[in-house]
Amino acid sequence: MKALEVIIAIGVILGAIFGLSALAYALGGWIEAGFPFFGHRLVESGLPGWAWVSNMLILVLGFVMLIATFLTLAERKWSAMIQDRIGPNRATIDLPGLRGRPLGGVFHVATDALKMLTKEDFRPKVADALLFNLGPILAFAPVLALFAVVPVGPQVTVFGQRVGLQVANPDFGMLWVFAIASLAVYGTSLAGWASNNKFALLGGVRASSQMISYEVALGLGLVGVMMAFSSVRLPELIQGQTTHLWGGTVELPRLGAVNLGIPAWGLFLQPVGFIVFFAAAFAETKRAPFDVPEGESEIIGYFVEYSGMKFGLFMISEFAEVVILAAITTAIFLGGWNIGFGFDSTLTRALTQANLGWLLGAIYATVFWIKALLLCYLQLAIRWTFPRFRYDQIQSLGWKILLPIALANIFITGALILVDPSLRSLAVLGFVEIGFVLALTLRRPEPAGHEADDAHLPADAHGHAPPPLPGAAAASHH
Amino acid sequence: MAYKATKNPTTDLRERLFLPELLRGLAITTRHFLRNLFNPRDTNVHVVDRKGPNLVSTVSYPEEKTPYPPGYRGLHRLVPRDDGKPRCVACYMCATICPAQCIYIEAGEYETTDPSSESRVIEKYPTQFVIDELRCIVCGLCVDACPKDAIRMDTGLHTPSEYNRSGFVWDIPKLLQGPAVSHASDPWNKRASSATPPHQHHEPHTRIGEGLVPLKLPTGEQQKRTEVTDQAIPVTRFLKD
Amino acid sequence: MSESDRKKPSGDAQPSPPGAPTVHPAAGTGPTPTNPPPSPTASGPRAGIEHQPPAAKPPIPPPTPGGKPTPKHPGFVTVTVDGKELVAKPGENMIDAVKKVGSDIPYYCYHHRLSIAANCRMCLVEVSNSPKLVPACQTPMAEGMVIHTNSPRVQEMQRAVMEFLLLNHPVDCAICDQAGECKLEDYYQRHDYRSSRLEGEKLMRAKRKVLGPTVVLDQERCVQCTRCVRFMAEVAREPQLGMFGRGSAEYIDTFPGKQLDSNYSGNTVDICPVGALLNRDFRFRARSWFLSAAPSVCTGCSRGCSTFVDFMGQDMYRYRPRENEQINKSWMCDQGRLSYKYVNQHRVAAVMLGRGEDRREATVPEALRSVAEQFKALAGTEGLAVLASPVASNEDLLATLSFARDALGVRSVFVSGRPGGAGDHYLMTPDKNPNRRGLEWIARGLDLALKPFSELAQAINSGKVKALYAIGGEVPVDPSLVAQGFARLEYLVLQASNESAITAQAQVLLPAAVHVEDEGTFTNLDGITQRFRRAYPPRADVKPHWAWAVALAREFGFPWAHASARDVFREWGPRVAELASFDWDGAAPPVKIARGLNPLPTAADGRPPGYREFGPPRDRGI
């Protein structure tokens, strides 16, 4: 029964995403077509190019903020499940039908928001008022601006107009991401400095140094993909990933020609670039294991003096960064809305013929968000799996590991693209790398190893195996 | 750095590559996540007896309550006599021993003409007996100190929550609860009034040498005895396996 | 002093206060030896002292032909106590004497101010000139005598006596007020410390039998030491108690149909070593270990008995007599014991301004300003009079009368004070004011004439006196009559400690401290000046008289900066001829205040939690 409830809940979430995407397409088309209404148009010539208004509202304020908000709950609930706890389940609403039903703790989102909004907005007397107030604004605004260049759905025809789910598609594409992402650190370091608190200042300084260290690897990690698809515009990167590396068209009955080839996803071409970019971007979100700027056990962090919604802005911007990182990674490395394995051509053909452009777009956008949500889960799971790096470990990881690897990756990628412009040799190298890591991961460790694999746990231990007695461990060696 | 990490010679390529270990770690947490997400929770209050694929070990108080162990020091109660009044004689022993200083007592005197035959032979009683349960640290010293078995912590309850501090200040009407207790040595079981009993002539006697109560040993002697008993338990019992 | 501060003076000899004359041996009996004199034998280890060969004893001089040994120290008796040499005065009691060398003989019935009864048998010791154990209280010390107070024989006998005394003793220490200062408890811990071997029931006797207005008796707890009987016969000279019955049926009681109504019956409670006799006023009000004690003086009459003040927090619980050879020996009267109640009850707590319906609470600066405004206009005229009470201490009077003379410009002072009462044959005097002699001395020293209270009444009635500065609210006649007279005054400034009909007539009412709340001196009717110490600080705005006088003088523009009663005495004490030579610091009783346990719960705001929600504290002093 629980599994059914979970599947229903997932269905509800996907349905909501689908509905919101469809609404975005419909609204965009409606605006571009000049608000058609019972055969009449409010604007005769339409408003070509004005769909960015609805896209901005629905993508940034709708998708990003809603997902970020619910991620605050997810962080608590998922971490509870990872750690064999229950998690938030106390808030209920006293309405018929909802009475006494916590619904997985979903109302805690509302209570948290209410708490943030109603708490005293405290400012230390010695803090600089202007800079203190500017801190959360500067931390929050760039994060939302980042999302402007991320394409969520393809260009489809709605109300006779070509509409895509992207706020803006400038020529500089990825460079916008790099530029704006580095701006976010101004908010944190400003908050740390303006608080007039030594611990806050420490947090701000740590954030700045971490940002500088990983900015390099962040950029270099993406160079390979840019070289492979010869563009920095995200829609073109996605379009490039929909091409097939191998395999050809197969004629299937009732479905027509279906391409069952392997898509050229960035992950297959650039697994090393993926790891470097993901690690660097993760460091920029300042989440565990890269959370030394926060470091609640040592310095509490750059927001130590903030309370109420100002602190809330810092927190929500962190989760918005999680969403945006997931979206950008999806677009660059996971093929964006591409489904692959023959579905794309069939779907596109069928729905374009039926003139259901909005439906096609909504399906693709849902696929995009499914991938992004899985990456969100990955980020949360990483936060609850790995302990915090020490500060020197962070710096050596950034400068001494990620940077050389990224540079080497660029040279090798460049050489392979030069040799084989069809990207197939690059893909072969990628598959070899992925296979090598997977083989190492799945290989059983040697039984005499010093680690206690959980495969050795007794079957009836319910996951709570007692630690081996010292005497027992010693006896097993002899 | 505060310390230098040694390179463990047993690390192999997998561990030095770091990435496979990260993936394995993620696999462990994800396995827990999925088991707990898709399976119903066992609500057995005895956590060690829980079965099933769901690994959650939380006891979701107050819907589920772990039974308190025997000897649990719960909320105080003032033990009543058979006539419903507290056994307490306001000797202040509990107030004296209390490390949190949470007991306040005021003493009064029963009249020799009190209608209750139990009260008549008791001189002192508490007119006020107040325990601030917020200040109480539940150490149980008051129970140990009481010479009259008048205060106990055998209710098996803990302090209920209240909306203001005054609710935690428990006075006699709230504290006086539970079954009445009477001992053979209680004065009302021995005499009817405070006056000299009218005709009392039975020889109080001792039989010298018989039933001699052993002298209380100095603490050093007693410790020696305790150590001997401890040694009787073989230490190897704990080192099995 | 350490133990006896807290405990009742139940016969334990207390050191005399400084200034009390001590009995010196007659001059010419030789130089007073150091005690104990250096002796090689005294430095040996204590262990196995009972097996010491006789050679280890100090060398006894060869006997003189008369049969008596030659004194080692002429004019003194030299004995050996537990291996240490003791040089005692002739006729000194053995129990008191052995304390000087650190030995301790337990006892119940012995009291250094009563006759020797030797009936408790607790003080049995082993001496060299007797085959049997002898009672230490009764045995005179002889030259060369060897005394063992701690030998196995003595220990076994002490244990046996304790068992015997506890045979029928009800173990109701839980409700016994003596618990904590009970010799039976102490000696049980030290000498017996084992369970009772009694099979069968203990004897039952009358409990809480009321003997008189002051004392209640529990016959079960009595150990028949007869201290109370001897006290009533020998010291109070009112033999109201007697010993009746015999054997295990022996008991203390009053004579049939009579009451224990002597004015000194309270002392029997003090000297009772167990909880048989208890004070009805103090009974069940506090456990003894909660109480702290401060050396003080009784203010019940002009005798000025030395006392301890037993207090807890800011409440006084009882007076106990303090040893003073000159004045009260070890005793005090029941009237004096009960005279403490005004310290707790009906105290003036706040500065009040206005009379009748205009009366309101005021701040201290406001009140001082008002007084200064009114008095400055009248200073030096006939219309302004000063009234001083002989209940105030010397320091209070020194400061207030100096203020009256220098600032108010008066040349004479009217005397108020408590009305006279009955005296008795021993300690209590008819004058109920503790410091009349001090007031006389100080007025003389400051060139002020003293006028009786009746003249003030005439002056007010005739309209000559319009404003009055009164130190102390006690008056020698009916307060309501005085209040009617004072109502005619245009302006009355009253420093009073207790509410009365008179305080209602004050335009400015300044709350005054009582003697337990400040340090100072009293001079009793014999001209003996005694220091008393502060037990606890006064509450809130309450200040001693001298502090009010200093504050008023500063308001008048005088550069007075006295911060304590000591400062006041150092400033003006030398002007009074009789007090000039008084060593204020040296005469102080030992400063140590034995602090009681303080287990009464107090919240962060200083109030017990029981009171936080159940209304204000009950009437102070319970």
Side-chain angles (χ1 to χ4, degrees):
Chain A
M1 283 321 289
K2 176 117 187 260
L4 192 62
E5 285 171 21
V6 171
I7 287 166
I8 289 172
I10 292 173
V12 167
I13 292 169
L14 293 184
I17 289 173
F18 178 81
L20 206 54
S21 310
L23 179 69
Y25 271 113
L27 206 57
W30 194 56
I31 291 173
E32 298 243 338
F35 311 108
F37 189 69
F38 286 120
H40 297 281
R41 288 181 174 190
L42 259 65
V43 181
E44 266 316 306
S45 57
L47 288 171
W50 278 82
W52 68 268
V53 179
S54 67
N55 279 340
M56 192 173 72
L57 287 174
I58 293 180
L59 290 185
V60 178
L61 295 185
F63 273 114
V64 177
M65 286 306 292
L66 272 181
I67 294 176
T69 308
F70 279 97
L71 275 184
T72 60
L73 170 70
E75 170 116 290
R76 295 164 65 188
K77 197 73 180 176
W78 294 356
S79 68
M81 289 176 178
I82 284 171
Q83 295 171 349
D84 297 344
R85 292 182 284 112
I86 295 178
N89 67 342
R90 286 288 132 181
T92 54
I93 292 182
D94 201 6
L95 286 176
L98 291 175
R99 193 167 290 142
R101 306 178 71 175
L103 296 185
V106 74
F107 304 120
H108 280 269
V109 173
T111 55
D112 284 353
L114 275 179
K115 187 194 80 173
M116 291 287 186
L117 289 170
T118 52
K119 264 179 97 168
E120 183 194 357
D121 185 18
F122 181 79
R123 181 170 64 78
K125 202 174 178 181
V126 288
D128 187 311
L130 174 68
L131 296 182
F132 189 81
N133 292 331
L134 209 54
I137 299 172
L138 282 185
F140 185 61
V143 176
L144 286 187
L146 268 183
F147 203 75
V149 296
V150 178
V152 173
Q155 294 263 339
V156 294
T157 308
V158 183
F159 294 116
Q161 309 288 330
R162 294 293 287 173
V163 181
L165 285 193
Q166 188 180 18
V167 177
N169 188 15
D171 289 339
F172 42 82
M174 279 311 300
L175 302 183
W176 168 264
V177 174
F178 296 147
I180 300 299
S182 359
L183 278 185
V185 79
Y186 281 95
T188 53
S189 47
L190 205 60
W193 189 78
S195 297
N196 208 342
N197 178 315
K198 291 188 181 66
F199 293 108
L201 182 63
L202 268 178
V205 170
R206 286 183 184 191
S208 316
S209 67
Q210 186 170 312
M211 189 68 78
I212 289 166
S213 307
Y214 282 82
E215 199 71 30
V216 188
L218 184 76
L220 293 179
L222 290 184
V223 170
V225 182
M226 295 178 195
M227 283 195 294
F229 300 116
S230 314
S231 175
V232 291
R233 294 168 67 151
L234 283 160
E236 289 179 17
L237 290 181
I238 294 177
Q239 204 57 46
Q241 290 179 76
T242 55
T243 57
H244 293 89
L245 290 169
W246 292 283
T249 313
V250 180
E251 281 292 333
L252 288 180
R254 296 182 57 196
L255 287 175
V258 173
N259 195 330
L260 293 174
I262 298 170
W265 284 11
L267 178 63
F268 303 145
L269 300 180
Q270 284 287 308
V272 175
F274 172 77
I275 298 295
V276 170
F277 170 76
F278 199 70
F282 207 96
E284 302 233 338
T285 62
K286 298 182 289 297
R287 288 169 57 80
F290 297 98
D291 62 342
V292 278
E294 185 177 329
E296 59 275 271
S297 59
E298 357 171 336
I299 58 165
I300 304 158
Y302 50 88
F303 48 65
V304 61
E305 295 288 2
Y306 286 87
S307 63
M309 202 53 213
K310 281 189 190 139
F311 169 76
L313 278 180
F314 281 120
M315 202 172 79
I316 203 74
S317 71
E318 182 182 313
F319 284 100
E321 276 181 47
V322 169
V323 180
I324 287 159
L325 168 60
I328 290 174
T329 314
T330 306
I332 295 174
F333 289 102
L334 295 185
W337 55 75
N338 179 260
I339 308 172
F341 312 109
F343 285 100
D344 303 271
S345 52
T346 317
L347 259 182
T348 313
R349 201 165 50 237
L351 292 177
T352 314
Q353 281 169 2
N355 202 13
L356 289 171
W358 63 272
L359 184 59
L360 177 67
I363 289 173
Y364 273 137
T366 311
V367 169
F368 181 92
W369 280 120
I370 289 173
K371 292 178 184 174
L373 285 182
L374 286 175
L375 282 175
C376 285
Y377 167 77
L378 181 65
Q379 293 182 65
L380 263 58
I382 286 174
R383 189 226 193 286
W384 291 102
T385 305
F386 304 125
R388 179 185 307 145
F389 282 121
R390 221 167 48 214
Y391 190 74
D392 62 321
Q393 291 170 334
I394 284 185
Q395 293 297 346
S396 63
L397 178 67
W399 289 111
K400 287 154 76 175
I401 299 175
L402 291 186
L403 182 60
I405 287 179
L407 284 173
N409 184 46
I410 288 169
F411 284 115
I412 294 169
T413 307
L416 284 176
I417 291 173
L418 205 61
V419 170
D420 180 8
S422 72
L423 302 181
R424 283 185 181 148
S425 8
L426 192 60
V428 167
L429 178 66
F431 282 125
V432 167
E433 285 163 358
I434 293 173
F436 176 66
V437 169
L438 283 184
L440 274 181
T441 308
L442 297 176
R443 185 177 61 105
R444 291 186 66 84
E446 287 110 47
H450 59 280
E451 63 193 305
D453 195 348
D454 64 350
H456 294 152
L457 293 183
D460 58 346
H462 201 99
H464 308 288
L469 297 172
S476 70
H477 276 297
H478 295 299
Chain B
M1 286 315 303
Y3 64 93
K4 194 173 172 67
T6 55
K7 291 225 166 24
N8 190 334
T10 61
T11 50
D12 56 6
L13 177 64
R14 187 178 74 169
E15 286 168 4
R16 266 176 279 167
L17 202 56
F18 201 54
L19 198 59
E21 287 295 312
L22 291 184
L23 291 177
R24 290 175 70 87
L26 279 173
I28 290 172
T29 47
T30 304
R31 191 156 62 230
H32 277 256
F33 175 75
L34 293 176
R35 281 177 78 165
N36 294 332
L37 180 65
F38 284 103
N39 294 295
R41 189 168 66 87
D42 189 350
T43 53
N44 190 345
V45 292
H46 298 283
V47 178
V48 289
D49 295 339
R50 285 190 177 175
K51 294 280 187 293
N54 189 304
L55 299 168
V56 171
S57 49
T58 308
V59 177
S60 188
Y61 189 89
E63 289 86 11
E64 305 155 20
K65 286 177 180 167
T66 314
Y68 290 132
Y72 172 78
R73 287 200 295 265
L75 202 60
H76 305 86
R77 74 178 176 108
L78 277 181
V79 181
R81 306 195 304 249
D82 289 328
D83 64 354
K85 293 175 184 165
R87 287 180 60 84
C88 174
V89 296
C91 72
Y92 289 76
M93 289 297 155
C94 47
T96 306
I97 198 87
C98 179
Q101 302 189 0
C102 70
I103 304 177
Y104 180 82
I105 304 172
E106 272 182 27
E109 182 172 6
Y110 285 122
E111 294 297 322
T112 48
T113 54
D114 195 283
S116 161
S117 63
E118 294 196 358
S119 301
R120 204 153 55 216
V121 294
I122 298 169
E123 297 178 36
K124 205 176 176 187
Y125 76 102
T127 55
Q128 281 222 44
F129 191 103
V130 178
I131 299 180
D132 189 341
E133 298 287 355
L134 269 189
R135 294 173 64 96
C136 173
I137 58 167
V138 209
C139 64
L141 286 177
C142 51
V143 181
D144 291 349
C146 184
K148 294 289 175 190
D149 189 17
I151 186 167
R152 289 188 185 180
M153 297 176 84
D154 59 357
T155 49
L157 307 169
H158 56 261
T159 315
S161 42
E162 297 280 350
Y163 282 103
N164 49 29
R165 285 170 184 275
S166 61
F168 291 100
V169 178
W170 283 48
D171 53 359
I172 291 178
K174 283 175 97 174
L175 286 169
L176 191 64
Q177 52 175 307
V181 170
S182 198
H183 296 296
S185 59
D186 287 334
W188 58 87
N189 289 329
K190 296 201 294 191
R191 60 197 299 167
S193 76
S194 288
T196 310
H199 182 71
Q200 192 195 30
H201 186 76
H202 54 84
E203 286 292 330
H205 61 282
T206 55
R207 281 183 250 156
I208 304 297
E210 280 184 29
L212 189 70
V213 180
L215 278 169
K216 285 178 185 167
L217 293 167
T219 45
E221 287 285 316
Q222 276 173 344
Q223 277 170 358
K224 221 179 284 172
R225 293 193 171 189
T226 324
E227 280 165 13
V228 169
T229 27
D230 278 348
Q231 279 166 6
I233 302 170
V235 183
T236 50
R237 204 180 69 179
F238 302 107
L239 298 177
K240 212 166 59 176
D241 306 323
Chain C
M1 206 65 194
S2 58
E3 289 258 309
S4 57
D5 267 2
R6 174 123 22 106
K7 293 182 180 301
K8 282 183 188 178
S10 47
D12 312 357
Q14 300 163 16
S16 299
T22 48
V23 181
H24 290 290
T29 50
T32 308
T34 55
N35 197 6
S39 160
T41 56
S43 61
R46 294 282 316 268
I49 191 82
E50 57 272 14
H51 301 302
Q52 256 184 354
K57 293 178 188 171
I60 299 169
T64 47
K68 292 178 82 176
T70 313
K72 187 176 173 189
H73 300 283
F76 293 90
V77 182
T78 308
V79 297
T80 305
V81 179
D82 296 336
K84 293 178 190 163
E85 185 177 77
L86 167 66
V87 183
K89 295 187 282 273
E92 200 177 355
N93 193 285
M94 191 192 293
I95 288 180
D96 294 338
V98 298
K99 286 178 182 166
K100 293 182 207 160
V101 291
S103 293
D104 189 11
I105 301 174
Y107 58 92
Y108 289 111
C109 71
Y110 167 71
H111 190 282
H112 63 293
R113 297 198 188 275
L114 298 178
S115 62
I116 303 293
N119 60 3
C120 74
R121 315 311 284 177
M122 197 62 205
C123 63
L124 291 175
V125 291
E126 201 174 352
V127 294
S128 59
N129 55 6
S130 166
K132 291 166 72 176
L133 300 186
V134 296
C137 62
Q138 208 182 22
T139 308
M141 285 185 287
E143 183 69 30
M145 183 191 259
V146 178
I147 304 165
H148 292 298
T149 67
N150 208 21
S151 68
R153 267 182 86 196
V154 174
Q155 283 180 358
E156 171 56 20
M157 191 57 76
Q158 285 164 342
R159 191 205 60 72
V161 171
M162 276 310 299
E163 183 171 29
F164 187 56
L165 290 176
L166 286 167
L167 201 60
N168 282 316
H169 187 86
V171 189
D172 50 4
C173 307
I175 58 163
C176 178
D177 264 1
Q178 191 82 358
E181 49 192 18
C182 174
K183 287 187 125 186
L184 212 52
E185 277 183 345
D186 296 349
Y187 290 163
Y188 169 75
Q189 301 281 337
R190 207 191 304 167
H191 301 300
D192 193 10
Y193 202 59
R194 56 193 281 180
S195 304
S196 173
R197 289 188 288 164
L198 177 69
E199 295 174 6
E201 293 291 313
K202 291 190 175 193
L203 270 181
M204 278 186 279
R205 265 195 207 300
K207 296 185 83 72
R208 53 172 169 165
K209 178 171 186 181
V210 175
L211 292 185
T214 314
V215 180
V216 62
L217 167 71
D218 189 317
Q219 290 180 340
E220 284 188 347
R221 296 177 192 157
C222 180
V223 295
Q224 283 89 28
C225 72
T226 69
R227 269 182 173 187
C228 49
V229 178
R230 280 177 283 146
F231 169 82
M232 291 312 291
E234 297 164 12
V235 179
R237 296 184 191 283
E238 289 171 308
Q240 294 174 335
L241 288 174
M243 200 80 199
F244 302 91
R246 51 188 277 266
S248 62
E250 199 176 26
Y251 60 95
I252 300 276
D253 209 342
T254 52
F255 296 104
K258 294 287 168 56
Q259 270 202 325
L260 179 64
D261 54 1
S262 160
N263 195 22
Y264 294 89
S265 59
N267 293 309
T268 62
V269 177
D270 286 343
I271 59 174
C272 182
V274 295
L277 294 166
L278 291 173
N279 193 309
R280 293 176 69 189
D281 175 60
F282 176 70
R283 193 162 121 103
F284 294 168
R285 279 181 44 211
R287 300 315 303 258
S288 63
W289 54 86
F290 295 164
L291 296 176
S292 308
S296 187
V297 173
C298 174
T299 57
C301 73
S302 59
R303 178 72 64 187
C305 295
S306 295
T307 58
F308 283 113
V309 163
D310 280 2
F311 63 98
M312 173 165 56
Q314 282 177 313
D315 283 316
M316 181 175 166
Y317 280 78
R318 63 178 174 184
Y319 273 130
R320 280 186 292 119
R322 181 160 55 96
E323 188 88 8
N324 189 331
E325 191 65 38
Q326 264 180 310
I327 301 171
N328 59 324
K329 307 287 191 289
S330 305
W331 321 113
M332 70 185 292
C333 69
D334 293 357
Q335 300 277 328
R337 273 175 207 278
L338 295 177
S339 70
Y340 73 91
K341 301 217 169 195
Y342 77 97
V343 172
N344 299 330
Q345 293 171 349
H346 311 302
R347 289 292 299 274
V348 179
V351 178
M352 304 297 274
L353 277 186
R355 186 188 272 177
E357 290 185 355
D358 300 334
R359 172 154 266 202
R360 63 186 174 85
E361 270 194 33
T363 61
V364 173
E366 199 181 352
L368 294 178
R369 257 198 316 278
S370 162
V371 175
E373 274 172 25
Q374 294 282 335
F375 277 180
K376 268 180 182 166
L378 287 165
T381 66
E382 283 280 301
L384 176 59
V386 172
L387 180 68
S389 164
V391 179
S393 73
N394 284 332
E395 289 70 20
D396 290 339
L397 292 169
L398 282 169
T400 49
L401 295 188
S402 296
F403 166 72
R405 191 190 61 174
D406 299 347
L408 305 183
V410 298
R411 286 286 162 266
S412 63
V413 171
F414 295 98
V415 179
S416 58
R418 296 174 183 148
D424 70 4
H425 62 283
Y426 188 28
L427 290 174
M428 193 166 75
T429 62
D431 182 5
K432 300 301 177 193
N433 298 292
N435 203 24
R436 185 176 300 279
R437 183 60 49 87
L439 176 58
E440 289 167 5
W441 287 357
I442 288 163
R444 203 182 311 143
L446 296 176
D447 292 332
L448 292 167
L450 288 181
K451 293 184 189 171
F453 191 75
S454 52
E455 283 187 30
L456 176 67
Q458 289 166 8
I460 292 175
N461 284 336
S462 65
K464 217 161 72 179
V465 170
K466 293 191 171 51
L468 182 68
Y469 172 52
I471 302 139
E474 303 85 6
V475 286
V477 287
D478 184 1
S480 53
L481 290 177
V482 177
Q484 285 174 21
F486 281 2
R488 298 201 191 99
L489 286 168
E490 287 169 16
Y491 197 66
L492 171 60
V493 178
L494 178 58
Q495 298 175 1
S497 58
N498 293 70
E499 297 278 3
S500 69
I502 300 164
T503 54
Q505 297 300 331
Q507 257 95 352
V508 180
L509 178 59
L510 304 173
V514 294
H515 67 293
V516 299
E517 293 167 349
D518 190 31
E519 293 195 292
T521 54
F522 283 131
T523 305
N524 80 346
L525 82 166
D526 298 324
I528 301 171
T529 304
Q530 290 188 84
R531 264 291 306 278
F532 54 86
R533 285 197 177 274
R534 182 161 86 166
Y536 48 85
R539 293 183 175 86
D541 283 342
V542 180
K543 289 184 170 78
H545 289 296
W546 63 260
W548 284 119
V550 169
L552 283 170
R554 291 172 69 86
E555 197 69 26
F556 270 70
F558 288 82
W560 289 9
H562 308 81
S564 65
R566 183 171 182 270
D567 288 354
V568 170
F569 193 89
R570 285 164 67 88
E571 165 97 29
W572 290 291
R575 305 213 190 153
V576 181
E578 294 86 345
L579 295 176
S581 60
F582 183 74
D583 180 8
W584 204 84
D585 294 321
V591 70
K592 186 173 153 294
I593 296 180
R595 289 281 169 207
L597 302 176
N598 192 13
L600 283 190
T602 47
D605 54 2
R607 288 175 296 168
Y611 284 148
R612 199 187 301 149
E613 280 76 27
F614 298 124
R618 292 182 180 183
D619 191 15
R620 281 285 168 189
I622 307 169

